[in-house]
Each structure stands twice: as structure tokens, then as C-alpha cells.
Amino acid sequence: MSQSDHLSGGEPFAMNASVAASVPSLADHPVLDADVLRGFHLLEADAGTGKTWTIARLVLRAILEAGLTIDQIVVVTFTTTAAAELKARIAALLDAWSNGVPVDEDPFSQAYQPPLDNDRIASLVRQARLQLDDAPISTIHGFCQRVLSEQALSLGHWGELEVGSDDAPLITEAVADWWRREIVAGPPERRLLVGRYGLSLEHLIELLKRALRCPDAEIVTEGVGDWTSLAERLHAQVTLIRDLLAAQQEDLLRWMGNPANLSQTSYSVAKLEDRFADLQAWLDGYPATIDEDREGLSLFDVRRIALKKGGSDEREQFSVLAAIAGLNDLRLERAVLVAQIGAMIRAEVEQSVAQRKRLAQQISFDDLLNRTRDALVDDAQGEHLAGALARRFPMALIDEFQDTDPAQWTIFSQIYEPGQSGAGSTRERTALVLVGDPKQAIYSFRNADVQTYLAAREAGARVHRLGQNQRSSRLLVEAVNRLHEHPNPFGIAAITFTPADVGSRADNPDRLPPADDQGALTFVQLSGVGAGSEPSTMGMLTARAAQVCAHQIELLLTGDPASGRAPEQPADIAVL
């Protein structure tokens, strides 16, 4: 079979009807879908529903039905540990099929009948097992590294480059250099600014790490003035207010305290005297009080003062009111100070990091993604590269797709053209299978974007569902279903909850049943954390939660002689 014939259809697999009836759990399972090896598919997989099990068997089907060698099947997952587990599971499956269709308890083996005789099956499987070490089963970064290596000449990448873990150390060095030059050795006002107003080197480093990890991200600082003069402008504004207040306070009290002009609910003479004192204390304490929100700062802001109908409007005569409004604007400006500085030095830090990597002949994991993405969208070479990769890797299975980002989706969508793989498309003979679940999207701190998942789902994928939970007990599955019964449980209308089914392995006798006085899912409400009327802080609640958790573990490890419950082993307990 030539490479141009891959995934062209050929003879479809035959499901053994007499056996399938005894394996009802696979009747509608995508692992046996007749068309899953061609086109664009999305396998939405609840937790514990056998994603790895399914992926391994789809790889086997591609080898037996589509004539692909294992080094032509891309399998991508999120971590190197998960990639190693996937490869081990695929290896075990190939070993089981090395002599043809195995006779075992695997429901797939019982239900699937390949369109080949046992000798041909054994030959293909053994060849795949020998080539497994060369198979592109890796993280997205590993796949991109392979692409850049195999396509080095066409992409103009000469020589071997060392791949570092990430740019974090280089970003830290570059930002620290800027900090020493502009802050430590800068004017005293800048040191006052960062010392008093909450700006730190650590905050700035974290902002630049996130910004440079996602090149398309924009740091929004609209409406913010020049940060280098902010300290001077704040100091000048506070000085102006002190002077104006000393000159205007007596007349201002008379005008504001007149019931004909303003509501006395907020502006009675007694309240005004208190608020003037509050404002004066803030001014006297400046700059230490910069983060304190005093009522006087809002009460005397000219934009907040509502005149009564028929009242005498003297607001413009008291310039201190406009000055206080200006101070409030400057305080808001200070709140986005880190973002403004980050936006200003972003290009400088980016250039510094790039130069340091060039000198060290090093690229980062993020560079692998960005270089591959940029090459695929390039007007001059992108289409040629995408076509070459589609021929080189006719099938791709992307695990944990809900934790990918826009750059990663761009890479695979350029190669496989999802939604356009019908007759006449240059990708007609390819397959792209995404496996994921937006309910499990947890890596936003790594720029994962659940909206990317939703956009991919709308791009024309045929959606399948893995909904049988084989990991949890029947009681726990039912409890989680009950927990999510209310409408829109995730706050995003496009992410819905479909109750999970209980798989055939759910009632494993090795699983610990809940105690008589507990359900399978138990909530503990913390109380009595703060002292007296003292509010509970996050630190208090965290410490209390740890104590409760430790106590429950102690009970499990000691057992319950009264009920005959034996002690559990530490390896039986997980803490998330």
C-alpha cells in the first residue's frame, strides 16, 4: 500500500455481531466507530471513562485497517509522564496482539474483528512493536521538536540547538537588569514609587513571564499616564489638596452643610466634620496611606456630589473638590502601574532574552511551539509545510485537548484542516481525533484556553462521548451526577454536564465503601476558625482544612474496631 492510499477507506473493519451482543458497553463506543479513522472527530471523555484505553486501540486499528506504520501516527498528550504511560499502554496492547486476535477479557478483543487473517495481524503488530521507540508519542513540544528537526533544511534552521526547559531564568535576568538600571540607580522618586506603592521586582518578573509565554497577548494600559512621573504627580497633587483644603474648608463646610444644597444623609455638618478629619488624617499620613480607601476621598470627589433641585451650585468655586477627583484618578493609575511598566519594557526584555539564547545556541519549549506555528502560517511556505506534515503523519490523536492553547490548535488545524477534510480537500486522506473534556480544563496558568476547545468543537468535528466511568464506585458516580443537577453548573453555557454512566468495573470489591454515617461524597463545612467575632482569613481556613483532612486520614489508618473496619494502608489514600 502506498502512502497516498493511507486512510482512503479500503475495507472497513468487521464487528463480530455474535460477540458484540455480549459486550453491550461497546455497542456505541467510538473505539469501534466505522469512520473514526478518517476526518475530524472529537471524543468528549468524562473522568475515568477510558481515554488512554481508547487511544491505544485506535492506534491499533489505524495500523491494521489504514495501513499506517506506527511512526506515521501522532499521539500527543499534555505531560511527559502521560506520554510515557500512553506509550507503555500501546506497547502492552501490541504485545497482546502479537500473535493475532488475543483471547482475553478485554471487551475490545471480544468485539473487534479486523479485516485481516491472524498471520497478517501478527506481522503488522510485531513490526509496530519494533518501531515503537520511533513513534511520535509525546507532548506537543516533543512533536514540534520533531517537526523542526525533520524539516530543518526547508525551514532554514541550521545546526543543533539545545532545548532548555523554559525562558524563566533568562526573563528573570533581563528584568533584573532593567530594575537595577531604572529603579535602583534611577531617581529617588522612582525608588519611593516602588517602595511605597506596591511595585516589586517579583511582580514584574511574573507579569513578563506570562506575557512572553503567550506572544499574542496584549498588556492593556489604556488611559494610564507616564509611570516615571507618577510619584512626582501624586506628591504634587497631595500638596495641592493640603493647600486648597486649608483655604477652602470653612466655606466648603458652610455650603455642603446647607440642607437646601445637598442631601443631609451624607452631608450633615456633623458628618462633614468627621469626613474632613478623616481626609486630613489620610493627607498627613501620605504616602503610607496610599492604599487606604477613606470615605473622605470619595465623598469630596466633585464627580460624586449630587446637587439638590433648586440648590446653589458652587462646586466649581471649590477647586479642592476637582483636585480630590484628580487624586483618585492618580490612585487608579497606580493600581495598573505594574502592567504599564511591563508593557513598556516587554520588547526590551524579549530582545534581551532572544539575544541570550542566540549566544547560548538554545531555544525554549515555548520557542518550539511558536516556531512551528509561525512556519505553518507563513504565506510563503506554510501550505507546503502543512501538506508535507499531513503526508508524513496522516493521523493525529490529541489527548487532553481541553488544556491546549490557541498556538497549539493553530498547529494542528493548519496541518489537518479540520472541517475541510471531505472530498476534494488536500487533507482528504487524514484523520484528526481530539480527546478532551472542557469540564476538566485546569491549566489556565499555563495559558490553556477552554475557549480554544469550544472553538475547535464548532469547527465541524463529529462528536462522540465516552460516558462510562470505570474508575469510581457506583455510589460516587451517582453522587457526582447529583451534585451537578442544577442548570449551567460551570458558568459557561457551552459547557454542559451529562450524567455519567456506571461502567462494568465500577463495583470492584477492592474499593473502599463509605462508612455507615457517610455518603460516597461528603462535604465538610469549616466553622469556629476565627477567634470570637474575628473574621476567618484564607490562611486560617487553609490550616483548619489541613487539620480536618489529617484527622480523617488518621481515622482511616487506625480503623474502627467497633464496626469491624480494618485499618487502611497509606497507599490507599489520595489527597488532592
Side-chain angles (χ1 to χ4, degrees):
M1 179 180 286
S2 68
Q3 193 175 57
S4 63
D5 292 329
H6 291 317
L7 299 177
S8 61
E11 182 180 354
F13 80 92
M15 186 170 179
N16 188 328
S18 61
V19 178
S22 65
V23 192
S25 61
L26 295 186
D28 298 315
H29 199 290
V31 76
L32 294 177
D33 185 83
D35 299 317
V36 74
L37 300 183
R38 186 192 304 111
F40 180 30
H41 299 265
L42 173 59
L43 275 57
E44 296 205 322
D46 292 349
T49 54
K51 290 185 298 180
T52 304
W53 182 92
T54 301
I55 290 171
R57 281 146 187 82
L58 289 178
V59 169
L60 176 64
R61 281 191 57 193
I63 293 168
L64 299 181
E65 297 177 43
L68 297 181
T69 56
I70 199 164
D71 67 334
Q72 294 178 297
I73 306 170
V74 172
V75 182
V76 165
T77 190
F78 198 72
T79 66
T80 54
T81 300
E85 180 187 354
L86 258 173
K87 181 172 285 190
R89 296 279 286 275
I90 292 171
L93 182 64
L94 294 175
D95 289 340
W97 281 70
S98 61
N99 293 315
V101 180
V103 179
D104 57 24
E105 296 182 358
D106 184 357
F108 177 78
S109 303
Q110 299 171 23
Y112 174 54
Q113 185 180 26
L116 304 168
D117 60 41
N118 263 0
D119 289 341
R120 183 58 177 158
I121 291 172
S123 175
L124 291 173
V125 168
R126 289 173 184 175
Q127 180 185 10
R129 185 66 177 86
L130 289 173
Q131 295 178 326
L132 185 60
D133 287 343
D134 296 326
I137 304 171
S138 65
T139 63
I140 176 64
H141 301 94
F143 172 70
C144 290
Q145 187 172 9
R146 179 185 288 250
V147 168
L148 294 175
S149 176
E150 291 184 357
Q151 304 291 327
L153 292 179
S154 62
L155 294 177
H157 295 160
W158 298 93
E160 289 293 327
L161 294 175
E162 178 186 353
V163 180
S165 57
D166 59 41
D167 289 337
L170 299 178
I171 294 173
T172 299
E173 291 177 15
V175 177
D177 286 348
W178 179 90
W179 185 270
R180 284 189 292 269
R181 183 179 71 248
E182 298 294 336
I183 303 299
V184 177
E189 291 82 7
R190 293 188 190 174
R191 293 195 295 275
L192 173 66
L193 182 73
V194 301
R196 292 289 190 182
Y197 304 152
L199 176 63
S200 71
L201 174 60
E202 291 73 20
H203 290 160
L204 196 56
I205 288 172
E206 287 305 311
L207 176 68
L208 267 299
K209 284 180 182 178
R210 297 197 66 174
L212 296 184
R213 192 180 298 129
C214 189
D216 297 329
E218 178 184 0
I219 303 176
V220 179
T221 59
E222 184 179 353
V224 179
D226 177 17
W227 77 272
T228 59
S229 65
L230 181 56
E232 297 96 315
R233 287 184 287 138
L234 276 166
H235 178 76
Q237 196 73 9
V238 169
T239 300
L240 173 64
I241 292 171
R242 285 196 186 109
D243 294 342
L244 292 175
L245 192 62
Q248 300 176 9
Q249 180 173 339
E250 184 175 342
D251 291 337
L252 184 60
L253 178 62
R254 172 194 53 77
W255 174 74
M256 299 184 84
N258 186 340
N261 296 327
L262 303 178
S263 168
Q264 297 303 289
T265 302
S266 299
Y267 295 100
S268 66
V269 172
K271 287 184 178 180
L272 286 169
E273 289 176 344
D274 288 341
R275 298 302 173 262
F276 276 127
D278 183 59
L279 176 60
Q280 191 63 56
W282 189 94
L283 295 170
D284 292 342
Y286 177 86
T289 54
I290 186 66
D291 289 317
E292 297 179 15
D293 292 318
R294 300 291 181 90
E295 190 172 352
L297 289 172
S298 60
L299 195 70
F300 298 120
D301 187 321
V302 67
R303 296 165 298 194
R304 298 285 302 275
I305 299 173
L307 189 70
K308 275 187 174 183
K309 185 177 181 179
S312 173
D313 189 357
E314 300 179 24
R315 286 173 292 190
E316 292 186 3
Q317 298 179 28
F318 296 106
S319 53
V320 67
L321 302 177
I324 290 173
L327 174 63
N328 287 331
D329 288 341
L330 290 175
R331 292 177 73 234
L332 287 174
E333 203 173 298
R334 184 196 61 83
V336 292
L337 182 66
V338 177
Q340 188 189 38
I341 296 177
M344 184 190 71
I345 70 172
R346 176 178 180 169
E348 177 184 330
V349 171
E350 195 168 22
Q351 292 173 3
S352 174
V353 168
Q355 182 179 15
R356 292 167 195 252
K357 286 191 290 189
R358 281 195 300 270
L359 293 174
Q361 289 195 315
Q362 184 183 75
I363 60 176
S364 69
F365 286 148
D366 289 334
D367 291 329
L368 294 173
L369 282 177
N370 295 329
R371 289 191 181 192
T372 305
R373 187 269 313 269
D374 292 345
L376 284 165
V377 300
D378 182 76
D379 291 337
Q381 65 179 357
E383 178 59 28
H384 174 77
L385 175 62
L389 292 176
R391 291 187 295 273
R392 171 69 179 87
F393 305 108
M395 184 173 188
L397 299 107
I398 315 301
D399 189 20
E400 305 292 1
F401 184 74
Q402 76 278 355
D403 290 320
T404 58
D405 62 27
Q408 296 170 24
W409 173 232
T410 297
I411 290 170
F412 291 112
S413 61
Q414 290 294 118
I415 297 172
Y416 296 99
E417 292 187 340
Q420 305 177 45
S421 54
S425 167
T426 57
R427 311 292 191 267
E428 181 182 356
R429 304 179 189 278
T430 64
L432 176 61
V433 181
L434 311 179
V435 184
D437 180 2
K439 300 189 297 296
Q440 300 181 56
I442 61 175
Y443 289 113
S444 62
F445 70 96
R446 295 185 185 177
N447 298 313
D449 182 1
V450 73
Q451 298 302 325
T452 299
Y453 177 97
L454 298 177
R457 187 168 66 182
E458 296 300 318
R462 182 180 166 204
V463 180
H464 311 259
R465 182 168 181 267
L466 301 180
Q468 286 193 348
N469 191 309
Q470 305 288 350
R471 182 184 301 161
S472 303
S473 69
R474 179 181 302 275
L475 290 175
L476 184 56
V477 171
E478 292 171 350
V480 172
N481 286 344
R482 179 71 180 275
L483 179 66
H484 292 87
E485 280 182 349
H486 57 88
N488 196 16
F490 305 105
I492 300 177
I495 302 178
T496 59
F497 181 83
T498 301
D501 296 323
V502 179
S504 58
R505 298 167 55 193
D507 292 320
N508 187 324
D510 293 334
R511 291 193 173 95
L512 176 68
D516 292 339
D517 60 344
Q518 288 184 330
L521 181 64
T522 302
F523 288 89
V524 177
Q525 183 173 354
L526 303 178
S527 61
V529 179
S533 59
E534 178 187 359
S536 300
T537 66
M538 182 59 69
M540 294 176 184
L541 293 170
T542 301
R544 179 61 175 154
Q547 292 172 355
V548 172
C549 186
H551 177 66
Q552 292 297 319
I553 293 173
E554 181 183 14
L555 293 177
L556 290 171
L557 294 175
T558 56
D560 184 4
S563 64
R565 188 164 189 157
E568 298 303 322
Q569 298 302 311
D572 296 329
I573 302 170
V575 180
L576 302 180

